[in-house]
């Protein structure tokens, strides 16, 4: 587990979703949809692997994921948390964080827009089309649970002391 605070803002900017805009006909650009008021900096966020995709989640987000065999209204828990962050700190898992999980509840089951397959053979009078709609599940993130390890505060204090010592040496060198 790695605690990092210096590059947290740059990493957060790189992981921010594109607000769920439609990029073209029937193409959904980002799986995370921004809810009203989500432009306010969140207290805590998590990067979770669901299926084979990674999602940046904030409590209150609505996410469209691959179909889950869960009833509407039930609570589900995602244990494969890759990163947890806050305004002041970030914890990276190697590869996952054992003592973190994200809970969400199922809002509804939907079908994706139809994907069309066209078949055409010139001069053969053969043409046809088939369509397919992927089943999806819409979940709403309830909470992000994270219990930092006992030595985490000690690591943060050591990092602060090392950073302050570095700043002092840089100031001494710049004055000379």
């Amino acid at each position: 587990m790695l605690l990092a605070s210096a590059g947290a803002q740059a990493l957060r900017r790189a992981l921010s979703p594109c607000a769920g805009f439609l990029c073209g006909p029937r193409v959904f650009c980002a799986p995370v949809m921004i809810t009203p008021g989500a432009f306010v900096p969140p207290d805590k966020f998590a990067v979770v692997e669901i299926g084979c995709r990674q999602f940046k989640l904030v409590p209150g987000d609505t996410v469209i994921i691959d179909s889950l065999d869960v009833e509407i209204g039930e609570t589900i828990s995602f244990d494969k948390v890759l990163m947890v962050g806050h305004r002041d700190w970030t914890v990276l898992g190697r590869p996952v964080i054992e003592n973190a999980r994200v809970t969400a509840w199922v809002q509804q089951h939907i079908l994706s827009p139809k994907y069309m397959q066209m078949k055409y053979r010139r001069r053969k009078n053969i043409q046809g089309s088939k369509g397919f709609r992927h089943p999806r599940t819409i979940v709403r993130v309830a909470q992000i649970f994270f219990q930092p390890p006992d030595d985490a505060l000690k690591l943060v204090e050591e990092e602060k002391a090392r950073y302050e010592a570095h700043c002092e040496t840089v100031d001494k060198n710049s004055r000379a």
Side-chain angles (χ1 to χ4, degrees), residues 117-134:
Q117 300 171 349
M118 299 297 294
K119 179 193 241 183
Y120 178 76
R121 302 273 189 243
R122 62 184 183 157
R123 299 187 303 269
K124 305 293 184 199
N125 198 17
I126 298 174
Q127 55 187 354
S129 65
K130 286 192 252 180
F132 179 74
R133 298 178 73 183
H134 291 282

Side-chain angles (χ1 to χ4, degrees), residues 47-68:
V47 176
V48 179
E49 186 172 330
I50 304 170
C52 60
R53 298 181 184 177
Q54 295 177 3
F55 298 90
K56 178 191 172 216
L57 302 177
V58 176
D61 273 352
T62 303
V63 185
I64 300 174
I65 60 175
D66 290 335
S67 180
L68 297 175

Side-chain angles (χ1 to χ4, degrees), residues 156-174:
V156 169
E157 294 300 324
E158 289 173 7
E159 187 69 29
K160 271 187 188 176
R162 202 170 7 171
Y163 178 74
E164 288 172 1
H166 173 74
C167 289
E168 288 175 8
T169 57
V170 168
D171 286 342
K172 288 178 185 176
N173 292 339
S174 64

Side-chain angles (χ1 to χ4, degrees), residues 129-142:
S129 65
K130 286 192 252 180
F132 179 74
R133 298 178 73 183
H134 291 282
R136 303 278 191 221
T137 301
I138 298 178
V139 296
R140 187 169 183 91
V141 178

Side-chain angles (χ1 to χ4, degrees), residues 47-50 57 76-84 95-104 145:
V47 176
V48 179
E49 186 172 330
I50 304 170
L57 302 177
I76 54 176
S77 176
F78 302 112
D79 297 328
K80 203 165 185 183
V81 179
L82 306 175
M83 180 170 74
V84 175
V96 296
I97 302 172
E98 292 94 15
N99 50 1
R101 67 184 153 87
V102 175
T103 59
F145 295 102

